[in-house]
Structures are given as C-alpha cells and as structure tokens.
Amino acid sequence: MRVKEIKVKKNLSVDELIKFIKTANKFESDINIRGANFTIDAKSIIGVLTIVRAGIDVTIIAKGDDDEEALKAIINLLI
C-alpha cells in the first residue's frame, strides 16, 4: 500500500477529468482519495467531479500490485 498527502493545485477541466478517470482505471490497484470529510474511489467520475478541486488537502491511497505506479500517475494529474 502506498499513501501520499498532497494539496490539489488545480481544478480539473472536463478533458482533464476524463483523463483522470481513464488513468485511474488503467491500474489494477484500488485508488482512494481521502479528505477531511470524505473518501472516494478515484475511478468514480461522480466522486471525483464533486469532491476534487483546487486548494483542498487530500490523501491518495493506492493498494495493489501496481500501487506505486498508480499513486505517481494520480498525483501528477492533481498537482
């Protein structure tokens, strides 16, 4: 399991949101985004759309065989 705390630096445009979801779904690992009052599946377009926005502090949690690669890919899309 890999865990990384970050501050989201940008709001995702529609194209970036689609890229985010496609990227998350490329990995076998479970990928969750945890904030102060929520935990969402990074592969869920509804969760990502409603929760992830610039300025919030989140913890990215990836668990699985490709968790390191998944964590890096997701972080790169948010900062």
Side-chain angles (χ1 to χ4, degrees):
M1 178 167 61
R2 307 286 179 176
V3 178
K4 179 76 175 176
E5 294 180 13
I6 65 166
K7 180 178 287 281
V8 178
K9 300 220 177 184
K10 61 182 176 179
N11 290 313
L12 298 177
S13 68
V14 173
D15 290 338
E16 291 170 323
L17 178 64
I18 292 167
K19 181 178 180 182
F20 183 94
I21 299 301
K22 284 183 177 181
T23 299
N25 279 293
K26 287 191 318 186
F27 297 99
E28 289 184 28
S29 292
D30 292 328
I31 307 166
N32 290 296
I33 302 171
R34 184 179 302 153
N37 300 315
F38 64 86
T39 300
I40 59 168
D41 181 346
K43 298 177 183 183
S44 165
I45 194 165
I46 301 295
V48 175
L49 178 64
T50 58
I51 300 297
V52 178
R53 63 191 176 283
I56 64 170
D57 294 314
V58 296
T59 303
I60 312 295
I61 304 154
K63 185 176 181 182
D65 291 338
D66 54 1
D67 56 8
E68 186 171 351
E69 296 83 12
L71 185 71
K72 287 179 185 178
I74 293 301
I75 289 172
N76 285 335
L77 294 170
L78 296 176
I79 60 171

